[in-house]
Every structure is written in C-alpha cells, then in structure tokens.
Amino acid sequence: MIPSDPIMLLSFVNMKLRDEFADLDDLCKSLDIDREALEEKLSAAGFHYVAATNQFR
C-alpha cells in the first residue's frame, strides 16, 4: 500500500526509486501502480518526475 498524503507519497516513491528501481516504469509495474495517476497526484502537489535523476522534484 502506498501513502495517500502527497508529501509522504513523494518520500516513499523517491526512496523506492533510489534504492530499488531503475526508473518510474519499473516501480509502477512492480508495485502495480497506475503511472499516470501517480504522476497526476504528485503533480498536483507541485512535483514532477525527472528521468535524468530518477526522482520526483
């Protein structure tokens, strides 16, 4: 289960990207998360995925 709070979600996703997954597609596939919904939720909080650094900023 992933956090629903956007800030906690940001921390969770960035930690997973840093420690376990090569990119956002890999994370979403492994955790069965809808990538578009995840990006929309974090975008609404002002964060966007940066592929070059493999993290949301």
Side-chain angles (χ1 to χ4, degrees), residues 28-46:
C28 289
K29 182 178 177 183
S30 292
L31 299 180
D32 194 29
I33 298 170
D34 181 276
R35 178 181 172 145
E36 192 173 314
L38 175 64
E39 288 187 283
E40 285 177 12
K41 184 164 190 164
L42 289 173
S43 178

Side-chain angles (χ1 to χ4, degrees), residues 4-34:
S4 59
D5 175 76
I7 301 303
M8 295 300 293
L9 178 61
L10 172 71
S11 178
F12 172 82
V13 169
N14 277 343
M15 179 191 67
K16 292 288 190 183
L17 288 169
R18 181 189 70 228
D19 296 344
E20 299 177 33
F21 298 102
D23 59 31
L24 186 57
D25 287 327
D26 190 25
L27 178 141
C28 289
K29 182 178 177 183
S30 292
L31 299 180
D32 194 29
I33 298 170
D34 181 276

